């Protein structure tokens, strides 16, 4: 019962705040949305602790019959196991803090904010439906729900063309991945005759040798389904090639960025791969693809984060990079480590975005770090909490990111495969760059001389308590979540904790080998993290002229990174311009010339004929008599000839 309340309470809050919210007023709508979120988080945490320590086993919570078509029947049920309860507790807790933070952040909004809070709660509900799904169709419902909510929230300021473009871009890019996901679901149904997880997972051993005929070749069914499902995850979780929507999503209010990057949306892809682990464990080629994409993304996004100047975009690319780490762990079979990093990342990434929002709030909506500096004296609470979040992101012990990110790199090395080694190298280099851009953000924003306009500096102030309270609470998670959860998630207690919610094949012993790595392999990520912080301090505190010199000296490389590897320009040339050309031709030739032109031409011809006929209607009796005579002569002539 409590588990169902945790899932549906945000929906009730969304309906009340979003629909009659304008009538009841902003304050009432905010309080109602937050009240239902607090109820959801309490029920979610109680359900999680009850499952872990209360001895409640895995099961389902039936809601109603959803689809009945012939022999096909699909119930609407909530999956109740370690993975679902963990995700529900995290999503509701982080989302509640973001709701509270939004009260202060949106206080200066000129229009009513009831719609905003309704969207936030709807976003949370959609994610909860996704993580509690008992079947792939229900999961797809939540999957599309978070896509809809992200579209509404990214484009919340609909009077800004940039926000509208970003919302449309997020929707279109995600459609690519969603199409693959939908086809993957269809193939799974074709293979197993079912879409509910218990039936699918129980039948996995029976279909090991099944194949699909594609492109003139026979492929193992599990490999095809696994790749299709992962391409769907690539779209939602912004992996390389389908990542371009994520930085532009910063056009929405900062609480939206925190919710997308920490608790919802982008974590959906990681959750999907973990949930489908009983199938993917027997699809080694698909897992190799997951490993390669995850490792490449974590390094690729980190290189871009090093040169971005918008404070939110730096954190956005760090999300892209950290998601790559999660997929790297899942790709080598360490699903538990992947979820461990997902949970720790939720705390410090939500903290970083909300700290960025506090900085923007203090700087009168300025987001360019080059126009900041010297803020630590003015906003000390934001300064301290952002340091804590950044150290967690950089993987510096004993903060949360250290425990989970290092476990990922250890798992990659322990895999003992070429792709695992590739992942370890990419992940270690990304750790160096992550620490560098984290330090760069801190030093440019809070240290040095103020670079903002004097009138902006004069109005810098600390955020209200409604914004600072969530920062303090999230910083506790950013500091302690790692060492508190490590033993449960990936340590000696992981088998009892997960209770079969995550599956490892009998040949998969990767968790047992995490602590058996050489000392250098174990400590290298820490060393490169400290080195990255040291280099950033040198660049932006001790020798601030060095970055400009390097940018000028290696300008092609700098521009390549600043322009995000030119992915947007490449996609514009390959997809957008040809599509615009085709649309223009279809409009001018197909629509204007053919569809409109043919009827218009026929109408013009009919009009011309009518005018010709009208001209012979002179009204003269003599003309009419002469015409009749001509007709009579013609008729008699024909009669005589034919006789």
């Amino acid at each position: 019962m409590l588990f169902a309340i945790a899932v549906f309470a945000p929906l009730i809050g969304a309906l009340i705040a979003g629909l009659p919210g304008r009538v009841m007023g902003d304050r009432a709508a905010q309080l109602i949305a937050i009240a239902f979120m607090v109820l959801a988080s309490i029920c979610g945490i109680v359900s999680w602790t009850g499952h872990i320590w209360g001895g409640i086993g895995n099961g389902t919570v039936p809601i109603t019959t959803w689809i009945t078509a012939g022999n096909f029947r699909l119930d609407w049920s909530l999956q109740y196991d370690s993975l679902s309860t963990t995700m529900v507790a995290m999503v509701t807790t982080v989302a509640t803090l973001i709701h509270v933070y939004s009260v202060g952040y949106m206080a200066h909004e000129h229009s009513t904010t009831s719609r905003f809070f309704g969207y936030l709660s709807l976003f949370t509900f959609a994610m909860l439906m996704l993580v509690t799904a008992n079947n792939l169709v229900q999961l797809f419902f939540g999957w599309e729900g978070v896509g809809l909510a992200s579209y509404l929230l990214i484009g919340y300021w609909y009077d800004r063309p940039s926000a509208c473009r970003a919302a449309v871009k997020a929707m279109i890019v995600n459609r690519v991945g969603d199409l693959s996901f939908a086809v993957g679901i269809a193939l799974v149904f074709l293979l197993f005759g079912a879409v509910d997880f218990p039936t699918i997972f129980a039948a996995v051993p029976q279909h090991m040798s099944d194949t699909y005929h594609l492109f003139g070749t026979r492929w193992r069914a599990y490999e095809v389904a696994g790749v299709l499902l992962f391409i769907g995850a690539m779209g939602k979780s912004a992996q390389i090639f389908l990542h371009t929507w994520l930085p532009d999503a910063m056009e929405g209010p900062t609480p939206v960025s925190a919710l997308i990057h920490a608790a919802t949306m982008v974590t959906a892809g990681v959750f999907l791969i973990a949930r489908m682990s009983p199938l993917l464990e027997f699809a080694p080629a698909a897992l190799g693809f997951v490993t390669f994409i995850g490792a490449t993304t974590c390094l690729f996004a980190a290189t871009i984060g090093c040169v971005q100047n918008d404070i939110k975009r730096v954190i956005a690319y760090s999300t892209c990079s950290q998601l790559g780490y999660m997929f790297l762990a899942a790709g080598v079979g360490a699903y538990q480590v992947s979820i461990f990093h997902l949970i720790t990342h939720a705390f410090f990434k939500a903290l970083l975005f909300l700290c960025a929002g506090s900085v923007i709030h203090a700087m009168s909506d300025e987001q360019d770090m080059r126009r900041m500096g010297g803020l630590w004296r003015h906003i000390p609470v934001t300064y301290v909490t952002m340091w804590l979040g950044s150290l967690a992101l950089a993987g510096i012990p004993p903060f949360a990111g250290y425990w989970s990110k290092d476990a990922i790199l250890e798992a990659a090395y322990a895999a003992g495969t070429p792709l695992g080694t590739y992942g370890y190298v990419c992940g270690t280099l990304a750790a160096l760059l992550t620490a560098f851009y984290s330090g760069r953000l801190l030093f440019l924003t809070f240290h040095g001389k103020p670079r903002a306009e004097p009138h902006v500096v004069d109005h810098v102030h600390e955020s209200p308590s409604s914004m600072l309270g969530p920062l303090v609470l999230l910083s506790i998670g950013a500091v302690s979540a790692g060492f508190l959860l490590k033993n449960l998630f990936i340590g000696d207690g992981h088998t009892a904790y997960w209770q079969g919610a995550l599956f490892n094949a009998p040949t998969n012993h990767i968790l047992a080998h995490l602590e058996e790595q050489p000392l250098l392999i174990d400590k290298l990520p820490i060393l490169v993290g400290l080195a990255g912080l040291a280099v950033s301090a040198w660049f932006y505190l001790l020798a601030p002229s060095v970055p400009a010199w390097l940018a000028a000296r290696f300008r092609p490389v700098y521009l390549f990174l600043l322009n995000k590897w030119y992915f947007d320009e490449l996609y514009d040339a390959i997809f957008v311009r040809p599509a615009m050309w085709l649309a223009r031709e279809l409009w001018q030739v197909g629509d204007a010339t053919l569809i409109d032109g043919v009827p218009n031409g026929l109408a013009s011809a009919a009009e011309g004929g009518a005018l010709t006929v009208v001209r012979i209607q002179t009204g003269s009796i003599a003309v009419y008599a002469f015409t009749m005579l001509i007709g009579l002569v013609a008729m008699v002539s024909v009669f005589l000839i034919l006789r």
Side-chain angles (χ1 to χ4, degrees), residues 353-484:
F353 265 113
L354 297 188
C355 285
S358 183
V359 171
I360 295 167
H361 181 269
M363 290 292 294
S364 304
D365 295 330
E366 179 60 67
Q367 296 183 200
D368 193 329
M369 296 184 297
R370 294 171 297 181
R371 298 173 184 169
M372 298 180 185
L375 297 181
W376 72 272
R377 294 185 180 88
H378 303 282
I379 47 176
V381 177
T382 301
Y383 171 65
V384 172
T385 53
M386 198 156 199
W387 257 107
L388 296 177
S390 297
L391 290 173
L393 172 63
I396 304 301
F399 300 96
Y402 157 72
W403 303 94
S404 54
K405 186 157 69 174
D406 277 29
I408 291 173
L409 295 177
E410 290 171 1
Y413 188 84
T417 63
L419 279 174
T421 303
Y422 172 75
Y424 178 82
V425 172
C426 288
T428 303
L429 292 174
L432 171 67
L433 299 177
T434 300
F436 173 79
Y437 66 66
S438 297
R440 176 176 179 267
L441 183 151
L442 289 166
F443 299 136
L444 281 177
T445 303
F446 294 103
H447 293 271
K449 296 180 180 180
R451 296 179 296 278
E453 296 294 330
H455 70 276
V456 174
V457 177
D458 291 341
H459 290 86
V460 173
H461 58 283
E462 188 61 276
S463 299
S465 57
S466 61
M467 295 172 65
L468 295 182
L471 298 187
V472 173
L473 294 175
L474 286 169
S475 66
I476 295 173
V479 172
S480 62
F483 62 80
L484 289 178

Side-chain angles (χ1 to χ4, degrees), residues 37 40-41 45 86-102 120 124 255 257-264 342-351 354 470 473-474 477:
M37 283 307 309
S41 61
I45 293 172
T86 300
M87 292 296 294
V88 168
M90 181 276 289
V91 170
T92 54
T93 300
V94 174
T96 299
L97 295 176
I98 292 172
H99 274 69
V100 174
Y101 177 94
S102 299
L120 283 183
T124 307
S257 303
L259 195 59
I260 289 175
H261 288 248
T264 62
L342 185 154
I343 299 300
T344 60
H345 175 264
F347 286 106
F348 62 73
K349 186 49 59 69
L351 173 61
L354 297 188
L473 294 175
L474 286 169

Side-chain angles (χ1 to χ4, degrees), residues 263-279:
T264 62
M265 188 73 170
V266 297
T267 61
V270 180
F271 171 83
L272 172 66
I273 298 303
R275 175 59 80 194
M276 297 303 294
S277 58
L279 186 149

